[in-house]
Amino acid sequence: MQVADDLRKRIEAGEYEAGARLPAVPALAERYGVARGTAHQAVQALAKWGMVISKSGSGTFVRTRLGARQLIRCYDRMRQSGAPITSGLDSVMAGRSQAGYRSETVYAEPDVRLRLGLGDPDLQDRPDVMATDALYHVNDEPTMIIRSWEPLALTRGTEVVFPLEGPLGGRGVIERMAALGLAVDATREVVRARAASPEEGAQLLLPPGGMVLTIERTFYAGERPVETADYVFPCEQIELSYAWRIDPLRPAGEQGENPGRNDLEATRRTSTELDASRPV
């Protein structure tokens, strides 16, 4: 790994700039005094760490990293959209494309069961959630993983059972649940930063120990969770930006109820109710 570590340091120091072509394997083997197989393994390690990309017939090039982009979390924008996460992705994910997805019926894992308020699984019965995994690219760079879970008790046998297929495929949870007569009226998000799992690192082309930003989001219709999802981004590519409308308080001494105060109290009650309804 000495060859790979030295090349990594040279890339990080800017000796090989973004878009630069690395020396071919025979040249690397001669420079470092190692076998060609060892030099090839070093290049493979750099590719696994997400530092270079190989192009057939052209060579191996230092990857051009996307700069950090803002993901805007805005109350008014969320309220008007059926997909609160993706409603803030226009600037972040301009040029995005879906690299692939998979939807399958499964038994929900314990954490997902808690988030969806599901009881213990009946392994003699049918699977109880539709799980969907999707990977998105921006300018051919892997940028976001989405994992979502929806209770099959709500969607089984309906035209919206597959989130990304059918007449409402890709239209967002709010619109799809409305087709079932369910009015989504609340959402909860939990933001975390952590080390990427090996699978996430491979999908997002992160180096060992690479960090990801995750948003755990759950939709509610009344007190009933109707969908929960994990959004996973490379930390270096995303900045969260929060914007919330604040209704001004009326000056002291004015008569009548204060709509801003009422909205504030309603928001506090909603937050408290969601906290109480979600198992810890």
Side-chain angles (χ1 to χ4, degrees), residues 16 22 30 62 91-92 96 104 112 118 130 175 205 229 233 249 256:
Y16 293 111
L22 287 187
E30 182 177 353
V62 178
S91 61
V92 175
R96 71 179 179 270
E104 59 182 339
V112 174
L118 301 177
M130 176 66 72
E175 188 171 347
L205 298 181
F233 307 89
L249 297 178

Side-chain angles (χ1 to χ4, degrees), residues 76-127:
D76 290 316
R77 188 177 297 182
M78 289 187 200
R79 185 172 55 179
Q80 298 166 12
S81 170
I85 290 284
T86 53
S87 69
L89 284 176
D90 292 342
S91 61
V92 175
M93 299 287 283
R96 71 179 179 270
S97 61
Q98 193 175 70
Y101 74 91
R102 180 182 70 252
S103 290
E104 59 182 339
T105 58
V106 300
Y107 295 101
E109 295 293 329
D111 178 62
V112 174
R113 307 193 76 81
L114 287 174
R115 288 157 59 175
L116 290 175
L118 301 177
D120 294 332
D122 182 355
L123 299 183
Q124 303 302 316
D125 199 0
R126 294 177 292 180

Side-chain angles (χ1 to χ4, degrees), residues 145 147 194-204 206-207 209-210 212 232:
I145 299 170
R147 303 188 188 96
R194 58 170 174 77
S197 69
E199 180 183 5
E200 292 166 343
Q203 287 182 291
L204 296 173
L206 299 177
V212 292
V232 184

Side-chain angles (χ1 to χ4, degrees), residues 33-49:
V34 297
R36 291 189 179 186
T38 300
H40 179 67
Q41 290 176 355
V43 173
Q44 286 184 317
L46 292 175
K48 183 178 179 181
W49 298 342

Side-chain angles (χ1 to χ4, degrees), residues 5 18 31-32 37 85 99 121-122 124 136 143 169 203 205 208 211 220-221 232 240 249 259 267-268:
D5 285 339
R31 173 184 296 181
Y32 288 97
I85 290 284
D122 182 355
Q124 303 302 316
Y136 290 85
T143 302
Q203 287 182 291
L205 298 181
M211 299 294 292
Y220 297 84
V232 184
L240 284 180
L249 297 178
T267 300
R268 286 174 175 166

Side-chain angles (χ1 to χ4, degrees), residues 236-254:
E236 64 185 18
Q237 294 184 15
I238 292 293
E239 295 176 348
L240 284 180
S241 176
Y242 285 86
W244 306 104
R245 178 175 53 83
I246 299 176
D247 292 330
L249 297 178
R250 291 185 178 182
E254 283 196 10

